[in-house]
Structures are given as C-alpha cells and as structure tokens.
C-alpha cells in the first residue's frame, strides 16, 4: 500500500501556509490558493542567496496551470516560470517556480 500524506494542515493559511491569488492568462480565471511560499533570500550584505521564489500547492486547486500564468503572494506579483507537477509520488502537489515580472 503506497504511503499517502495528508498535507491539509501544511497548506492551511491558519497554520503554515500563505494565501495567493492565481490568474490564468489564457482564460482570465482567478483563484485563491493556499500553499507554502519560499521567497528569494537576501542576506544582510544584500546578496541574493536563492535566485528564485517558489509556491507549493495542490494540483487539484489549479489543474490547468501553465508557464506564464501569474501569482500574487504577500502583495508581490510573480510570473510562473516553470510548473513542476508531482507525477512520481502521487501526493497531488505542484511546485510553481516564480520570477518577478
């Protein structure tokens, strides 16, 4: 029997998650998502340690997400650069790799 984790507590904005507004560029569809946001890290010397931000959420919430769609997280606009779907583990998650427009 495969191991299946319940990510509901981690993807809940009352617990660990952030809330984001997703807009699909082709249709203009807007959705509110909950997920784990990882921002660029800048150390005290203003050197970027991580070159991209990312947002982890469930595939079920945005089944038609694609590169070029937009996400607003913590008041900042991002373009989705790469959509990394979770095909292998079957957990139903998707990692959105983001860039500032």
């Amino acid at each position: 029997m495969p191991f299946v984790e319940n990510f509901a507590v981690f993807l809940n904005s009352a617990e660990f998650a952030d809330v984001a507004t997703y807009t699909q560029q082709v249709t203009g569809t807007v959705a509110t998502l909950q997920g784990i946001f990882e921002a660029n890290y800048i150390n005290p010397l203003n050197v970027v340690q991580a070159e991209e931000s990312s947002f982890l959420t469930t595939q079920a919430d945005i089944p038609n997400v694609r590169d070029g769609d937009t996400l607003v997280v913590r008041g900042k606009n991002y373009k989705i650069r790469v959509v990394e779907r979770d095909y292998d583990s079957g957990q139903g998650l998707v990692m959105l790799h983001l860039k500032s427009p």
Side-chain angles (χ1 to χ4, degrees), residues 29-65:
T29 302
V30 176
T32 301
L33 307 175
Q34 295 187 72
I36 305 299
F37 178 67
E38 293 290 333
N40 279 345
Y41 170 73
I42 300 177
N43 72 16
L45 299 175
N46 291 324
V47 177
V48 176
Q49 298 293 326
E51 294 185 10
E52 72 175 21
S53 298
S54 62
F55 191 81
L56 179 70
T57 191
T58 60
Q59 292 185 55
D61 289 343
I62 47 171
N64 299 315
V65 62

Side-chain angles (χ1 to χ4, degrees), residues 13-92:
S13 61
E15 298 291 336
F16 301 105
D18 283 290
V19 175
T21 303
Y22 163 77
T23 304
Q24 188 179 47
Q25 294 306 295
V26 174
T27 64
T29 302
V30 176
T32 301
L33 307 175
Q34 295 187 72
I36 305 299
F37 178 67
E38 293 290 333
N40 279 345
Y41 170 73
I42 300 177
N43 72 16
L45 299 175
N46 291 324
V47 177
V48 176
Q49 298 293 326
E51 294 185 10
E52 72 175 21
S53 298
S54 62
F55 191 81
L56 179 70
T57 191
T58 60
Q59 292 185 55
D61 289 343
I62 47 171
N64 299 315
V65 62
R66 57 181 57 113
D67 300 354
D69 290 348
T70 60
L71 201 67
V72 178
V73 186
R74 297 181 186 171
K76 186 171 180 183
N77 294 311
Y78 294 94
K79 232 183 220 312
I80 298 172
R81 186 178 64 80
V82 174
V83 176
E84 185 179 343
R85 298 183 194 283
D86 177 24
Y87 293 117
D88 296 332
S89 73
Q91 298 293 326

